[in-house]
Amino acid sequence: MSRGKFITLEGIDGAGKSTHLSFIAEHLRARGLSVLTTREPGGTPLGEMLRDMVLSQSMHVETETLIMFAARREHIDKVIVPALERGIWVISDRFTDATFAYQGGGRGISNERLKILEEWVQNGLQPDLTLLFDVSAELSQQRLAFNQSLDRFEQEKQDFFKRVRDAYLVRARAFQQRMRVIDSSRSIAEIQKELGGLIDALAQ
Ligand code: ADP
Ligand code: TYD
């Protein structure tokens, strides 16, 4: 049996990740593949507890960073790697690019520090494909305006999201082999047409 593939969805809040997650999963299932959808921070019982804390409590930015990687350690060990080894495709709503974008670009933790944690926690594991849903900070805020309750990150100002977006785009240029930038200012139908092609290519 061949190993499953690991797909991650990234982008600033309101970019459309949740909207497209189920489309991607259904597209793969229609090809006869087994698919597991999950998210970060979270994905395990302990990870979901850590998620609740990190989204609601104010804390030092290094504490925030370490919690993201602590939750990720559990997620990789208990969910992601066992599924991939059983031939299941894993789609995660966010992974480590989010830490480089939010805690790095957004909050100012250095890439060098983040890389040390990445190596420590991931042991070489990297996504096979990362879809970066890209929208301007202005458009993301307009989309989030319909949300009733905003978490600690979603309450940040536009400047924060601009820095996060820029950090994501820098990574997309640095990791062109696995990262694809999806112009998410387009209609959902247009975006899904492009996604279908990208996913089919990966599943060949
Ligand atoms: P994310 O998971 O990236 O935070 P969501 O998928 O929850 O973003 O989308 C945020 C909001 O924007 C939702 O109300 C969603 O329906 C809407 N939305 C997502 N993509 C589009 C799009 N391409 N065009 C218009 N509205 C969109
Ligand atoms: P998300 O699941 O996108 O929130 P929602 O359920 O509201 O769509 O992610 C939760 C928040 O966590 C998001 O604002 C980004 C943040 N985050 C980081 O700051 N660093 C990380 O490493 C991860 C995985 C998420």
Side-chain angles (χ1 to χ4, degrees), residues 13 17-18 39-41 51 55 68 72 93-95 98-99 102-103 151 153-154:
D13 294 82
K17 294 173 305 302
S18 317
R39 68 172 180 182
E40 289 207 352
R51 177 189 176 94
L55 294 189
M68 295 300 177
R72 184 163 300 134
D93 188 341
R94 299 190 185 280
F95 192 61
T99 317
Y102 281 77
Q103 282 65 49
D151 66 40
F153 292 96
E154 290 166 337

Side-chain angles (χ1 to χ4, degrees), residues 69-136:
F69 274 108
R72 184 163 300 134
R73 188 71 198 88
E74 288 299 302
H75 195 204
I76 291 171
D77 185 50
K78 305 258 172 21
V79 175
I80 300 174
V81 167
L84 295 175
E85 282 175 349
R86 286 167 53 214
I88 298 169
W89 284 48
V90 176
I91 310 173
S92 186
D93 188 341
R94 299 190 185 280
F95 192 61
T96 306
D97 293 306
T99 317
F100 280 90
Y102 281 77
Q103 282 65 49
R107 305 250 200 253
I109 299 274
S110 74
N111 271 2
E112 287 62 38
R113 285 203 156 174
L114 296 176
K115 276 185 201 155
I116 293 168
L117 293 170
E118 179 186 32
E119 263 175 46
W120 192 24
V121 162
Q122 283 166 232
N123 235 327
L125 176 76
Q126 288 294 341
D128 295 289
L129 174 67
T130 298
L131 300 167
L132 172 55
F133 292 93
D134 183 51
V135 290
S136 66

